Amino acid sequence: MTRSSPPSPEHLGPSVVDAIVRRAYAEVQEGRFEATRDALLPYSGQGDHRVDLLLGFAYAGSRQFDLAAPLLVNAALANVGAKHPAHDVVELFARFDMRPDAERAVRAMLALTPEDARIHDALGDVLCQMGRFDDAIGVLEHGLRLRPYNPLTLNLMAIARAERGETETALAMFQSVLKLTPNNASALSNLACLLSALNRPEEALDLYRSAIAEKPTDAQIRLNHSVALLKAGRFAQGWSEHEWRLKLPNHTSLPQDKLLPPIGPDVDIRGKRILITQEEGLGDTLMYLRFIPALARRGAITHLWVPDSLEHVCRRVEGVAIVQVGGDVPPFDWHCPFISLPRALVGTPDAMGDPVPYLSADPTKVAEKSRLLPRNGKLNVGLVWGGSPRPHHTPAHMVDRKRSASLAAMAPLAAVEGVNLISLQKGPYAREAFDPPEGMRLYDPTDELHDMDDTAALMMGLDVLVSVDTSVVHLAGALGRRVLLMDRFDNCWRWLSGREDSVWYPDLTIIRQDRLGDWSPVVERVGVALRKMVAERQSA
C-alpha cells in the first residue's frame, strides 16, 4: 500500500499555506522544533521562502545544524540589507537556555558565508551572553574588518567591553557610534545605561531624553530611562515611567483598562477587589509587600496572586484578604502588578509603604528552626554568595553573572574568629557547599528550608545576614534583621548611588565593589564588620 505525498504549497492554496506557516511559527516560538521539522519537511524546497526559513529554525533546534545552515543562509542572501536569521536563532534559543546550540548553528552559517559580517554580529552577541568576552570581542573585531564603522557591530563591541569591565573603552565606543549616527536611539540608550551604572545620573538622564525624542514609544528605552530615574532617587517620575515595561512583549495578559490608577481624592477603592500579581523575581515581591497595608486601610479587598514559595509569608502581611497560588484569573475590580504599587500610591502619605518590619515569621517555625542553628556562643552569620541565574531571560542572566560571587571568594570569612557561617544558599550555587574552601566550616540547614516562610523563621535566629543582592536580602530587611549586602559595582537602582545605607531597610549596610567583578575588598570589609560585631558581643 503506497502513501500519497502531501500537496505542494502551490496546490494547497494561499489560505492553507498561510495556516501551515502560522502554525509552524507558533510551534517554533514554543520550542517544538522536531514536530515543526516533521510537519514542514514535505513542503520544503517548493518555492515558499517562509516554509524554508521556518524549517531552518526547526533543523537548528533539532541540532541538525548542517541542514539548518543552508536554508538560513539562503534566506539571508535574499535580503542582504535586513537582519540575518542568525540573530533570530540567538534570540530564540536564549529563551530556551540553548545558547551553545545557537553558537553551533551560527558557526555553521558562518562556514558557508564567512564574509557576511552580520553573522559575526550574531556570533559575538551569543558569545557575550555566555560570558566568553574575549571570544566575542575577537569575532566582532573580524566583523569590523569586513564592515568598518558599522553602528550595530560597534554597539555590540562596546557592550562586550563593558561586560569585561573596560568601562572607559566602552564609553569611547558608544560615543564613536554617536559620531557616526548622532540620532541613533539605541546607542544613546546604551551609553546612558552605562553612565547610570557608573553612577553618573545627570549625564545618563540627558542622553535618555535625547533617545526618547528619537523613539518616544520604544518601551525598552523608556524602561531603561525609568531605572535611571529611580537610581537617581527621582521616585515619582521613575514609578510613572516604569509602567512602560507593561508594553513589552509577553509581559501581562490582564486588561490594561483595569490597571489600578493612581490613588487620589477621586479614586475610591472601598470594597473593591484588587488583584495584585507576581511579576518578576521574589525579591521584588518581598520589597513591594510593604504597600499592601495601605490599600487595606483604604478599604480595598487585597487579593494576592503569588508563587507557592511566598504563600505563607504573604498570609501574615497586614491587610491581606486572599492569597492565591496557581489557578485561573479570579474576579477583580482592579489589578495591579506588585511593581506598580508604588506608582499607584506615589501621591499619598504611603508613598514609601509601611515601615520595617512589615513581614513576620511564624513563631512555631521560629522555635523549630532555632534547633538547626549552633548554640556555642558565637555569632550566627547567614551566608548567601549567589543569586538566581535565570538563563531563560538574557538581561537577568547577565546581571546575575555580575551580582553573584562564589563560595571560594568567601574563604577569608573562615578566618574570622567567633562566628558560625550558616549557609542559606539555594539553587545552582548551593552545589559549592559540598566542597567549601580549605578551613571553612559551613553549617548547612538548607534541606529544612522549603520556602521563604522557613527561611524567615531561620533568619530570626541569626545575628546578621551576609549576602549578595538577591531575594533573601529583601526578606531579611523586611523582617528587620541586620544585613551586610555585598553589592556589585554597577548596582541595582534600589541601592541608589554613593550610599552605604538603604532607604528601604534601616538595618542594611551596603558594601560595594570598587571594581567590576572584584569581590576581594568587599569580603575583606565584611570580615572587618563581623570582627567588630564579635567584639561588641564580647564586651557586652
Side-chain angles (χ1 to χ4, degrees):
M1 184 176 181
T2 60
R3 183 176 299 172
S4 60
S5 299
S8 62
E10 59 267 25
H11 294 131
L12 287 172
S15 61
V16 177
V17 176
D18 289 346
I20 291 172
V21 168
R22 283 196 300 271
R23 176 70 178 272
Y25 177 80
E27 292 194 341
V28 163
Q29 294 299 313
E30 294 172 2
R32 299 176 61 188
F33 298 113
E34 293 181 2
T36 306
R37 176 200 63 195
D38 295 342
L40 288 177
L41 192 56
Y43 310 107
S44 67
Q46 299 186 38
D48 193 304
H49 69 279
R50 300 172 302 169
V51 171
D52 292 340
L53 178 62
L54 287 167
L55 182 59
F57 292 136
Y59 273 138
S62 304
R63 296 179 175 168
Q64 294 174 277
F65 306 116
D66 56 333
L67 298 177
L71 293 172
L72 298 173
V73 164
N74 287 340
L77 294 176
N79 296 277
V80 292
K83 182 174 73 169
H84 199 286
H87 286 285
D88 297 311
V89 169
V90 171
E91 181 180 345
L92 178 64
F93 283 25
R95 297 211 311 265
F96 302 108
D97 191 21
M98 295 170 59
R99 291 179 182 85
D101 286 344
E103 180 191 353
R104 286 191 281 272
V106 174
R107 288 193 184 278
M109 291 180 247
L110 191 62
L112 296 179
T113 49
E115 301 304 305
D116 193 331
R118 296 174 296 170
I119 308 181
H120 290 81
D121 289 344
L123 182 56
D125 187 9
V126 73
L127 290 170
C128 188
Q129 291 182 30
M130 296 165 70
R132 292 164 54 187
F133 304 126
D134 292 347
D135 292 342
I137 290 168
V139 166
L140 293 169
E141 284 176 341
H142 188 80
L144 284 172
R145 288 194 292 271
L146 295 170
R147 192 172 51 171
Y149 308 113
N150 179 262
L152 175 59
T153 312
L154 288 169
N155 255 322
L156 290 168
M157 177 74 84
I159 291 169
R161 296 280 188 184
E163 291 290 319
R164 198 165 69 170
E166 300 172 22
T167 52
E168 292 304 318
T169 302
L171 285 171
M173 296 199 76
F174 281 133
Q175 288 162 348
S176 68
V177 174
L178 289 173
K179 287 179 181 177
L180 293 169
T181 54
N183 299 322
N184 186 322
S186 296
L188 286 164
S189 180
N190 285 335
L191 179 55
C193 187
L194 182 55
L195 288 169
S196 180
L198 295 172
N199 295 318
R200 292 161 63 176
E202 295 307 319
E203 296 171 78
L205 292 172
D206 282 344
L207 287 166
Y208 275 126
R209 282 189 281 270
S210 298
I212 290 168
E214 295 300 322
K215 287 190 174 181
T217 59
D218 188 305
Q220 189 61 59
I221 291 176
R222 300 298 293 262
L223 177 58
N224 293 346
H225 177 223
S226 75
V227 172
L229 287 167
L230 293 170
K231 190 172 182 180
R234 301 183 186 182
F235 293 133
Q237 186 183 356
W239 297 132
S240 176
E241 188 81 343
H242 209 58
E243 295 297 276
W244 278 90
R245 74 193 187 283
L246 302 178
K247 296 185 182 296
L248 291 172
N250 304 317
H251 200 88
T252 180
S253 59
L254 296 176
Q256 291 293 297
D257 62 341
K258 289 291 186 180
L259 186 66
L260 182 66
I263 298 175
D266 299 328
V267 177
D268 187 359
I269 60 174
R270 286 176 296 178
K272 302 294 185 183
R273 184 185 294 259
I274 301 177
L275 177 64
I276 302 151
T277 53
Q278 170 75 16
E279 190 171 357
E280 295 182 5
L282 299 180
D284 293 298
T285 299
L286 291 164
M287 176 177 170
Y288 295 116
L289 281 167
R290 69 182 68 229
F291 295 98
I292 301 301
L295 298 180
R297 288 193 292 269
R298 289 166 171 78
I301 301 169
T302 57
H303 185 140
L304 276 57
W305 197 2
V306 296
D308 56 359
S309 59
L310 293 178
E311 177 184 4
H312 299 294
V313 166
C314 290
R315 290 191 185 280
R316 287 192 302 278
V317 174
E318 180 186 343
V320 170
I322 302 166
V323 176
Q324 175 180 338
V325 173
D328 298 324
V329 178
F332 60 88
D333 297 296
W334 300 101
H335 74 89
C336 186
F338 272 98
I339 298 176
S340 291
L341 287 171
R343 185 267 305 156
L345 290 159
V346 73
T348 74
D350 298 298
M352 296 295 285
D354 272 26
V356 168
Y358 55 87
L359 297 185
S360 62
D362 181 334
T364 302
K365 285 189 175 181
V366 171
E368 292 173 355
K369 303 305 178 188
S370 68
R371 293 194 289 271
L372 300 174
L373 297 173
R375 301 181 183 182
N376 52 15
K378 296 181 179 180
L379 208 68
N380 281 335
V381 179
L383 184 62
V384 178
W385 57 90
S388 175
R390 296 173 68 183
H392 302 88
H393 186 263
T394 296
H397 183 60
M398 295 180 75
V399 165
D400 182 70
R401 194 161 49 221
K402 290 185 284 187
R403 70 169 173 170
S404 295
S406 64
L407 184 56
M410 305 293 115
L413 299 183
V416 179
E417 296 183 4
V419 305
N420 302 309
L421 296 177
I422 319 292
S423 173
L424 273 66
Q425 182 66 55
K426 303 285 276 186
Y429 294 97
R431 291 192 289 266
E432 298 175 28
F434 294 114
D435 185 23
E438 185 177 354
M440 176 181 283
R441 181 178 183 184
L442 190 67
Y443 295 87
D444 189 356
T446 54
D447 285 346
E448 303 298 322
L449 306 181
H450 305 295
D451 61 10
M452 282 294 186
D453 203 42
D454 291 338
T455 304
L458 185 75
M459 279 181 174
M460 301 309 291
L462 298 177
D463 295 290
V464 62
L465 172 71
V466 174
S467 176
V468 296
D469 184 8
T470 188
S471 57
V472 292
V473 167
H474 295 279
L475 180 62
L479 290 166
R481 309 304 293 166
R482 191 168 182 179
V483 180
L484 298 178
L485 169 63
M486 299 183 291
D487 202 15
R488 69 181 195 266
F489 175 75
D490 52 339
N491 60 289
C492 172
W493 69 264
R494 290 167 180 80
W495 315 123
L496 303 178
S497 300
R499 297 183 64 142
E500 294 185 352
D501 63 336
S502 167
V503 299
W504 305 106
Y505 307 114
D507 294 308
L508 184 146
T509 301
I510 301 167
I511 302 176
R512 183 167 295 141
Q513 288 179 343
D514 299 317
R515 197 160 51 90
L516 185 67
D518 187 1
W519 289 108
S520 297
V522 174
V523 175
E524 182 179 346
R525 289 168 61 194
V526 168
V528 171
L530 292 179
R531 289 184 178 91
K532 182 178 179 182
M533 292 176 65
V534 170
E536 289 171 351
R537 166 171 286 193
Q538 291 172 345
S539 64

